[in-house]
Amino acid sequence: MSMFKNLIAGEWVAGADAIENINPSNTNEVIGLYARASLKDTQTAIAAAKAAFPAWSRSGILERHAILKKTADEILARKEELGNLLAREEGKTLPEAIGETIRSAQIFDFFAGEALRLAGEVLPSVRPNIGVEITREPIGVIGIITPWNFPIAIPAWKIAPALCYGNTIVFKPAELVPGCSWAIVDILHRAGLPKGVLNLVMGKGSVVGQAMLDSPDLAGITFTGSTGTGKRVAAASIEHNRKFQLEMGGKNPMVVLDDANLTVAVEAAANSGFFSTGQRCTASSRLIVTEGIHDKFVAALTEMLKTLVVDDALKAGTHIGPVVDERQLATDTDYIAIGKKEGAKLAFGGETIERENPGFYLQPTLFTEATNQMRISRDEIFGPVASVIRANDTPFGLSAGIATTSLKHATHFKRNSEAGMVMINLPTAGVDFHVPFGGRKASSFGSREQGKYAAEFFTVVKTAYTLA
């Protein structure tokens, strides 16, 4: 079986041990063995990134452009292969996986272009005979920690801008899904990145992640994951006076008003809450439905859920793949039991199911008569579980949606929703690669990701004064 190694200082390095990458659609399949980095490996990777920073931070824009463009082109050319890998290791359906792979290629292509558009400002001083220049410079070594639910897109939207703006990287992907991350790093390495600019350290958060948090040589950490771990990243970063960027999750509302187009509302809710097995931080697991349309909406959504096929992620016709692993499946089923105990009505689903191959299959699950005090209404479950509620209240603020045919209500919602992203008659999940991504309140901290707004995190502003 193939052993996939870590990339440290430009060399492929075996770890002390390795972890099996298991297919959640077919737990008999081991996709590969992926090396686990040690504490020493991680420290060596950080030192390599630090040593590579002076040269890379002053590299030419054509060099950066060429490497990022070559990476984008190879990912796109291999979209079927990489999409297949993504579907096998994470469990989202093959069309979704290929779509995510294409998105990652688009992200690298976008930042290849941004590398040619690096710019500053030249301003007159308030004092005579003095010129003022405002420029953006890379901040240094960036620690990148990514989750398992978007194993190629999220690494892409962190790695691409970090390299575009001249930073060096120590990258720790989620241990559950190392395959796509390894593939991206391999492509970038072969595209011509100098040694030490990008270092891959796969392994345990308690070892690799902790070593990154403890290092004074990381100038910034960009993290996507759980709220609890995000708080630890913040606390450790404050200790070292480093920049940090956190994307931590959501409990996103989809509001359905009485005047909504029922078909549009149901399709948006089903896509948001249940596709990608509900394993999206932008999923709308809170369906806030007003009285006049409530019963019709619940009936129509329930009928649609009956038509959705839960099966192997690679099988044609599958709408919903498996839950990512046994532990996440246990979390989902525990919350379903909690919802029943709290008094919510189970309108559909809630059962684990068997398919041709052993896997972590769960029916899409819909609760009604839920309240904002119930745990199923407050906690991010991260599975194909949604609740219909009659009023909104959440400490999160990542994404929010509304289904309405009223311009007045849509405009009011856009202006007053305390969320980083607002969707009108669209699923709350599903965003473009060239515009800002991020939330408010408990969902996010720091500047936005993606698009030109990524420069806010990956660069620092310098103001220079010159006497003429």
Side-chain angles (χ1 to χ4, degrees):
M1 182 174 293
S2 298
M3 166 70 78
F4 297 89
K5 300 178 181 180
N6 290 299
L7 183 67
I8 300 174
E11 304 294 332
W12 294 106
V13 179
D17 63 351
I19 188 171
E20 293 182 338
N21 190 0
I22 304 294
N23 180 351
S25 290
N26 180 5
T27 56
N28 291 327
E29 183 192 9
V30 179
I31 297 164
L33 294 174
Y34 289 80
R36 278 176 162 164
S38 65
L39 170 62
K40 185 178 179 181
D41 289 335
T42 309
Q43 292 170 336
T44 301
I46 294 170
K50 184 178 180 181
F53 177 72
W56 180 250
S57 65
R58 291 167 176 78
S59 59
I61 59 174
L62 279 176
E63 179 183 5
R64 297 183 206 174
H65 167 80
I67 290 170
L68 294 171
K69 186 70 172 71
K70 191 173 182 180
T71 299
D73 290 345
E74 181 169 340
I75 292 173
L76 194 60
R78 295 172 58 191
K79 64 181 184 294
E80 302 285 344
E81 171 201 345
L82 294 174
N84 182 281
L85 171 62
L86 197 165
R88 286 162 58 218
E89 74 169 353
E90 196 273 346
K92 64 182 60 176
T93 65
L94 185 58
E96 288 177 315
I98 293 173
E100 182 181 333
T101 303
I102 293 170
R103 178 180 173 186
S104 71
Q106 292 168 332
I107 291 166
F108 277 103
D109 186 63
F110 177 88
F111 283 104
E114 286 296 283
L116 301 179
R117 291 190 286 268
L118 298 179
E121 296 179 80
V122 177
L123 301 175
S125 171
V126 296
R127 295 169 288 170
N129 301 318
I130 293 176
V132 181
E133 295 175 69
I134 303 171
T135 55
R136 286 191 175 273
E137 297 184 350
I139 66 173
V141 180
I142 302 288
I144 294 177
I145 302 175
T146 59
W148 51 259
N149 62 324
F150 282 87
I152 197 166
I154 293 179
W157 83 48
K158 294 180 187 292
I159 291 171
L163 295 175
C164 168
Y165 297 116
N167 300 280
T168 56
I169 296 169
V170 178
F171 170 38
K172 183 210 169 307
E175 194 173 25
L176 195 58
V177 288
C180 288
S181 293
W182 189 94
I184 283 185
V185 170
D186 174 58
I187 292 168
L188 281 161
H189 178 59
R190 290 185 289 97
L193 273 182
K195 291 184 177 182
V197 171
L198 173 61
N199 301 272
L200 173 68
V201 279
M202 302 177 289
K204 294 180 179 180
S206 59
V207 177
V208 177
Q210 192 61 50
M212 293 168 69
L213 296 187
D214 291 342
S215 174
D217 292 327
L218 264 62
I221 291 183
T222 174
F223 166 84
T224 300
S226 70
T227 300
T229 304
K231 290 178 179 179
R232 290 181 53 212
V233 171
S237 297
I238 290 170
E239 178 72 21
H240 294 292
N241 198 31
R242 76 163 65 97
K243 210 170 183 181
F244 59 97
Q245 179 184 56
L246 310 176
E247 288 296 338
M248 296 176 289
K251 192 70 176 174
N252 308 291
M254 164 64 74
V255 178
V256 180
L257 299 185
D258 285 354
D259 68 349
N261 179 302
L262 187 61
T263 300
V264 169
V266 167
E267 289 180 355
N271 183 304
S272 299
F274 304 104
F275 283 29
S276 294
T277 323
Q279 297 174 155
R280 300 184 283 196
C281 55
T282 51
S284 53
S285 53
R286 300 167 53 83
L287 306 175
I288 318 300
V289 186
T290 52
E291 290 293 340
I293 200 172
H294 181 280
D295 292 351
K296 288 186 291 184
F297 173 84
V298 169
L301 179 57
T302 301
E303 287 303 311
M304 183 176 184
L305 294 181
K306 292 177 182 177
T307 69
L308 298 182
V309 177
V310 180
D311 209 330
D312 191 307
L314 297 179
K315 188 175 290 186
T318 297
H319 297 109
I320 300 174
V323 175
V324 70
D325 73 345
E326 188 173 19
R327 188 168 71 170
Q328 185 61 48
L329 180 62
T331 297
D332 294 349
T333 54
D334 285 349
Y335 270 108
I336 292 168
I338 288 168
K340 294 176 183 177
K341 186 175 180 180
E342 288 179 325
K345 178 184 176 183
L346 183 62
F348 183 81
E351 300 293 330
T352 57
I353 51 181
E354 294 184 358
R355 289 296 179 255
E356 181 180 355
N357 293 315
F360 308 116
Y361 296 105
L362 177 65
Q363 289 178 311
T365 303
L366 182 68
F367 283 103
T368 59
E369 306 306 325
T371 68
N372 286 306
Q373 288 68 46
M374 294 177 178
R375 285 186 62 192
I376 58 169
S377 302
R378 305 203 68 78
D379 299 349
E380 185 177 32
I381 300 171
F382 227 64
V385 183
S387 302
V388 178
I389 313 172
R390 296 176 190 267
N392 188 39
D393 173 31
T394 177
F396 292 102
L398 181 56
S399 183
I402 189 169
T404 179
T405 55
S406 166
L407 178 60
K408 175 183 176 181
H409 294 325
T411 301
H412 181 273
F413 189 80
K414 283 190 288 185
R415 289 177 178 170
N416 292 280
S417 180
E418 294 181 352
M421 298 173 290
V422 180
M423 314 295 186
I424 312 300
N425 294 320
L426 289 167
T428 56
V431 295
D432 290 353
F433 64 88
H434 67 304
V435 296
F437 178 95
R440 295 167 61 174
K441 301 195 291 184
S443 288
S444 304
F445 182 89
S447 51
R448 290 290 185 258
E449 299 193 86
Q450 297 202 132
K452 65 180 182 180
Y453 288 83
E456 296 295 331
F457 179 76
F458 292 103
T459 65
V460 61
V461 173
K462 176 182 282 184
T463 306
Y465 297 87
T466 305
L467 179 64

